[in-house]
Amino acid sequence: MAPAVSPFLDPGASSSAHSLGILQLKRDHLIPTVLSDASSTEYAEGNVVNTRFGSFTHSSLIGKPWGTQILASVVDTGSRGGRSKKRKREANGEGNAAEDASRSEEPVRSVVKAATTASSGFAHLVPPTPETWTLCLPHRTQVVYTPDYSFIIQKMRLRPGDHIIEAGAGSGSFTHAVARTVFNGYPGLEQPEEKDEQEVNGTTSRKRRRRQQRHGHVYSFEYHKPRAEQLREELVSHGLDPLVTVTNRDVYADGFCVDAENENAPNADVIFLDLPAPWLALKHLTRSPPPPAVVKSIASDTAEPPTTTSAPRPPKPFRSPLNPKTTTRICTFSPCIEQVQKTVAAMRSYGWLDIEMFTMEHKRLEVRRERVGLAEEGLRGANPSPATVQEAVQRLRDVEDRAKVFHGLQKEKQEQIMRRAEAKKRGEQAPAGEGEADGLKKKTEGLPPSKHDRLERAKKESESRALFREGRLVCRTEPEIKTHTSYLVFAMLPVEWTAEDEEKARRKWG
Amino acid sequence: MLTSCSEHLRPAFRVCCEPQLIAHSNINLGKFGTFNSNQIIDRPYHLTYEFLEQEDAKAQPKLRVVPAAELHAEALGSDHAAPTESKDDDAPAEGGGGVAYDIVGEDGEVIMRNNRLTVDDPSRQTLSMDEIEELKKAGSGSGKDIIEKIMASHLGIEEKTKFSLAKYTLRKSRKYLKRFTVLPLDIPILTEYVTEKEAYRIMELRDDSLGLICSWANVHSGATRRVMTAEDGTSQIGGGRWLVVDDTGGLVTAALAERMGILYPHTEEESSDSEDGNEENLPVEHNDDTPATTTPAASTTPATTATEDTHMPDATTATTADVPNGTSPDQPRAPRKPRQHVSQSSASTNTLTVLHSNNQPNLSHLKYFGFDSGDPTPSHPLYTHLKSLSWLQLLSPTDDPTYFEPEIMPEETLATLKSSKRGNYYRKRRRWERTKRVVDETRLGGFDGLVVASNMEPATILKECVPLVKGGGQVVVYSPNAEPLVQLCDYYSKERRTAYIASQFGQQGQLNGKRKQNGVDEEEDDVEGDDEEDNFPVNPMLLLAPALQTARGRQWQVLPGRTHAFMTSKGGAEGYLFTATRVLPIEGKVEARGLRGGKKRKTGTDTSAPA
């Protein structure tokens, strides 16, 4: 079932069945789906992704070039309302929580039985990347987000071909990101590269062989068994399982050497610890057996339940999980400063160098046009207060003018009534009303418009305005920011260098 | 690359860059002194060295590797039972033994000194400046003796609190300790080095921005990929090819190349060809390379250089031997003769294509990785995997003379030519072949991503480059300032997109429902007419989810009882990133759902369309 090549590493030209695709509805609203052309018990149209922007049948998603805009289909989502419980169970079994959630909130629609294109609604089909996956993965623990893992990968100098230990796999966002970075070919899938190299580089076969011998690999450790299982399944369905070894283990107690057929493994160049107590794991990350005094002093420093000190195990021969030929780079990811202090102290005791600690400040900015002005009165998304002092003054004048005329009119009316009354009293004919009406019209003509008129006019004018380029272009931090993710501690452990090595080098180089 | 660093806790250390480490040469570290490179060649990276004390000041300076425990002695202090190997206690008067409360006990006993009694007076240091200078001249060693003397001559040393004493010691160590660390030259170090000297040359890019760029561009090794043909039968798709517009002198290109596994020269046999004999018998113990180096096959190769630094002389010596522009006679190794010529920029997958605005690309920072873009070494992976073309070649190839095929000379005529002329002829042919291949291939598009770090107006770049990115490919634009990218976001705004769709459909005779209903047709000409270009400098339909972000790592000091963020750091450009996904909009009008007014559409579009 798993695709031969992971869609994360090479999505191909278009989507295909049994491969992960991501339906992007909005910037932060993405739905991951393993596409399937099999028929479904629930819909006549086969498998369906229901969203609030419409329903999308898998058949409309398979075989489309990546990035295609997909129109929603008309799917009868109403007639299977009674089976929601069963659906839920199935969905959970597939580990497709996002789809399930969107299903349950799907409103009942009119019954139309055909997979025809709906009149409205669309989404984009995008290939999975660690970044899009991070935005839509099923959360199991706290997620290491893109700004953090980008910085970590950069600082740790992770490169294709490296071996990395990741402890505390969690939700797997970091796993995906580093799998992409260390990837330089699948073990046992050499043909394309070989051919390519041959025609391209024309170098000797010896060189090719040598370059292919070390493939990048991720050794992932997770303490929590169900989480480890879930991650394993996820990686299989993403085609990343040849690059990642998931081990369910307590690394504090049992260390990082995987008991695989390869006795060299993990042979790690880079280590990432997302653990509650990284300092307890450091004793396993040395090049030679650590002095017992140091181990003891670090373990006793902690209030941690002594998972490490208790249960004396039969002493195993020491095996370092580190690559003896490269400088080991480490990063620990801890939310609390106390953890950092203990970790750094332990690192110093174990001889790690270049110890640095960082926090990541990441902001997303929203860009919009801010329209201010009296012309915006009654329009949406704008501020109808005066844009300038002049505009404010003009508005005040207008109001005054209107008031003046209004009061004048009132007064006139009063006087007219008085005059009429007086005339009546005197038994004279009332003066002609027409002339007065004319006067009134003349007076209101030059007047600023009433509020009602203004609103009407603004609305009408807005139709002809290019609103998308009006107003002041502004940017500001988005409303929600992550002010603290975790403290990142970086350090290096150089290659072991003994006095004999130095002597040898000195002799050679005089 | 050498970093002179007398104290590992320092946030910023002075970096001096040795682009290449040459055996039997002297390396001058300024006031620290000079030492012979043989003393550090062939040793692992990240070791810190110290100038050894010597009786004879004239003698060749000797280095000593400073053990980690000694480097950390101060920070570890008495809090940890670390087996401190250091014999010399850099921190005397460690009194107080870890008590960290600024409290005076009930009985008046001082539990911890505070700074109440501190006297700020230079006279408390009894040593005069001349005396210190004298000491400095006399001492040829690590500087430890000077620090000891200075500390001993400080009258108020006993009055200092534990923390201020630590700080004082640190300051003095930084000034007088002659220590330095040897680091491998990689992207973060190079970035730091250039930032300190001339940040403008790399558009003030920082490590954190570079990391973000690499992630969002989804750049990774495409070594196993194949270029596919798109549905239309001509354009190509994918293959691990990224398009780059780079005004950072090649730093961005280098960072991307590092993630693609094509930045560092292959270490083994190529270097042996150009070996100057010095490094013939290097041991392989600490080789930075694959386990394969320990296999018998590998150990027969004479030179397995220890470090990336030491590759560099190899690479550069090799280039000087070569004839420029890919016409090199390649390695003088017999079995390779039949296919000695490798065309430059000929790789079809896992490639970087650099667009440049001058005749030649400025990729000067690649020289630190053994690649000179003007004179590339055929053995370097970038030789085949890096392609470059100018904007003229991209947009109007027929205006570029190198795109035209030079006339073919018959063999007979060639034979009569002087060898130099013949070489010239072949060089021209090859240059044409390369240019034509790169230009044609680039214009076919289908790139996996686009990375821009340029001083040019971003919209003008995206207008030309976004169509060359495959559907689902990533577009990343870096700018030191927010404004250009804010503008760019606006060009892709939802409102503008809506207006763009309206204008497009207006042209096709279908009218935007809303406008028609409100009977203001005449204004549409405004949008569609002459200022179409002004209103829509880019096609806003081609990018999905444009976003603007910025990230910055803030460094902290972690010391027992003294953990806090650094008080100062570099200001300058914040560094912003625009990211988006290239998408393929469907032909025809598409109605969104869940937006206000969606239902009105029918009445609008159904109304008769004028011609």
Side-chain angles (χ1 to χ4, degrees), chain A residues 286-440:
Chain A
T286 54
R287 296 194 185 275
S288 45
V294 180
V295 178
K296 218 171 147 199
S297 82
I298 286 162
S300 65
D301 255 14
T302 69
E304 204 69 17
T307 41
T308 45
T309 47
S310 71
R313 290 151 193 285
K316 272 192 277 179
F318 177 83
R319 209 176 92 203
S320 173
L322 309 178
N323 182 350
K325 299 178 196 96
T326 57
T327 298
T328 308
R329 293 87 81 192
I330 195 173
C331 172
T332 69
F333 188 80
S334 320
C336 305
I337 198 85
E338 291 80 5
Q339 293 169 302
V340 168
Q341 288 166 335
K342 283 178 185 152
T343 307
V344 171
M347 280 177 173
R348 289 193 177 121
S349 303
Y350 286 121
W352 290 82
L353 297 176
D354 277 351
I355 303 173
E356 294 178 307
M357 198 264 266
F358 286 87
T359 50
M360 212 43 204
E361 287 160 14
H362 178 253
K363 279 186 293 190
R364 291 206 307 189
L365 304 175
E366 58 178 28
V367 174
R368 61 177 192 201
R369 288 195 167 261
E370 219 166 61
R371 305 199 315 268
V372 181
L374 295 174
E376 310 292 342
E377 221 172 6
L379 299 184
R380 291 201 321 129
N383 186 345
S385 56
T388 59
V389 171
Q390 285 72 21
E391 223 177 65
V393 169
Q394 187 57 45
R395 167 57 55 91
L396 289 168
R397 280 220 167 91
D398 289 354
V399 171
E400 268 320 299
D401 287 353
R402 276 189 71 85
K404 216 184 277 165
V405 173
F406 179 76
H407 287 307
L409 284 176
Q410 290 290 87
K411 211 171 168 188
E412 237 165 72
K413 224 173 193 173
Q414 284 274 315
E415 281 168 3
Q416 201 179 352
I417 290 166
M418 295 280 270
R419 274 203 300 279
R420 274 194 195 141
E422 268 169 40
K424 220 174 198 176
K425 228 189 232 169
R426 279 182 255 132
E428 279 170 32
Q429 268 290 356
E434 272 104 77
E436 278 170 29
D438 272 355
L440 187 131

Side-chain angles (χ1 to χ4, degrees), chain B residues 173-188:
Chain B
S173 316
R174 202 177 290 176
K175 197 163 172 190
Y176 298 108
L177 265 193
K178 291 176 175 177
R179 285 180 181 172
F180 65 92
T181 307
V182 182
L183 302 172
L185 195 141
D186 49 28
I187 301 288

Side-chain angles (χ1 to χ4, degrees), chain A residues 60-127:
Chain A
S60 73
L61 300 174
I62 293 173
K64 290 281 158 62
W66 291 113
T68 304
Q69 194 176 22
I70 307 282
L71 294 178
S73 301
V74 179
V75 173
D76 165 24
T77 52
S79 65
R80 20 116 272 175
R83 286 175 292 169
S84 66
K85 242 179 204 160
K86 186 180 156 228
R87 268 195 358 260
K88 200 161 204 168
R89 218 180 308 125
E90 275 174 11
N92 281 342
E94 292 160 16
N96 222 337
E99 195 175 335
D100 184 53
S102 59
R103 265 183 204 176
S104 48
E105 65 190 38
E106 177 68 13
V108 176
R109 293 189 183 283
S110 60
V111 180
V112 186
K113 270 219 164 186
T116 49
T117 305
S119 63
S120 69
F122 65 85
H124 287 91
L125 180 67
V126 294

